[in-house]
Amino acid sequence: MASEKAGESTNNAGRKETETGIPTVVLSRENAKLMQTTRELKMPVDKVVSLFASEGPLKGKIFPIQKPQITIGRAQADIVLGDPKISRNHCMLEVYGSSALLLDLNSANGTFVGEEKITHCELGHMSEFRVGSTTLMLTITDKLDSELP
């Protein structure tokens, strides 16, 4: 392992494992752009995508994701979090089927995966990130038979 912080480890490829043991990948700007240009921005047909507030003032709240690109912020965002530490348009989540790309939108206080301030990060099921006082977990779960088209 190249570096270790409390609750997380990182290898030389930029792959992280957070306290939940779920890997995330911190991407360079070039790799994030490559992901955006080579993969299709789309919601998975057979999955439900949500953000779950695992820590902070909204702990326990679930935010269903209904479209493949959403913004998170204090105002004028798809998901509004009333936290003065969060910028109006703080970060963006782009869904690419069974994974997502998290992009910080040049927020004043940053977007964090573990203890690392990120600009771009690939997330999978149960990956967590923090904006302001709120930690959000991406969940990508199977749809129930009654929810399938």
Side-chain angles (χ1 to χ4, degrees):
M1 305 248 167
S3 69
E4 290 191 28
K5 295 179 187 175
E8 70 178 40
S9 59
T10 306
N11 65 23
N12 290 331
R15 192 172 227 22
K16 289 182 148 225
E17 286 192 15
T18 59
E19 290 177 1
T20 60
I22 306 302
T24 59
V25 181
V26 178
L27 300 172
S28 68
R29 180 165 280 134
E30 294 79 22
N31 285 342
K33 286 185 186 285
L34 181 64
M35 182 177 176
Q36 290 174 306
T37 57
T38 60
R39 293 175 67 186
E40 186 179 352
L41 190 65
K42 67 176 181 174
M43 297 298 292
V45 175
D46 59 344
K47 306 280 185 193
V48 175
V49 181
S50 302
L51 288 174
F52 170 71
S54 59
E55 295 293 330
L58 298 172
K59 185 176 181 174
K61 184 160 177 61
I62 297 172
F63 301 94
I65 307 299
Q66 303 294 328
K67 57 185 185 175
Q69 187 178 63
I70 62 149
T71 55
I72 301 167
R74 191 179 70 238
Q76 302 169 348
D78 297 303
I79 295 178
V80 176
L81 304 174
D83 181 340
K85 294 180 182 176
I86 297 175
S87 298
R88 280 188 197 103
N89 285 298
H90 195 94
C91 61
M92 179 180 297
L93 187 72
E94 295 181 341
V95 178
Y96 293 91
S98 61
S99 67
L101 178 63
L102 176 65
L103 303 123
D104 183 82
L105 298 175
N106 295 317
S107 62
N109 292 319
T111 301
F112 293 82
V113 173
E115 297 299 316
E116 185 174 345
K117 187 175 183 178
I118 60 97
T119 55
H120 305 81
C121 187
E122 185 174 6
L123 304 175
H125 174 59
M126 294 185 68
S127 294
E128 291 186 317
F129 62 96
R130 181 174 51 82
V131 292
S133 303
T134 303
T135 299
L136 297 167
M137 177 189 292
L138 177 68
T139 61
I140 304 171
T141 56
D142 291 334
K143 283 186 179 177
L144 301 173
D145 288 340
S146 62
E147 297 174 312
L148 289 173

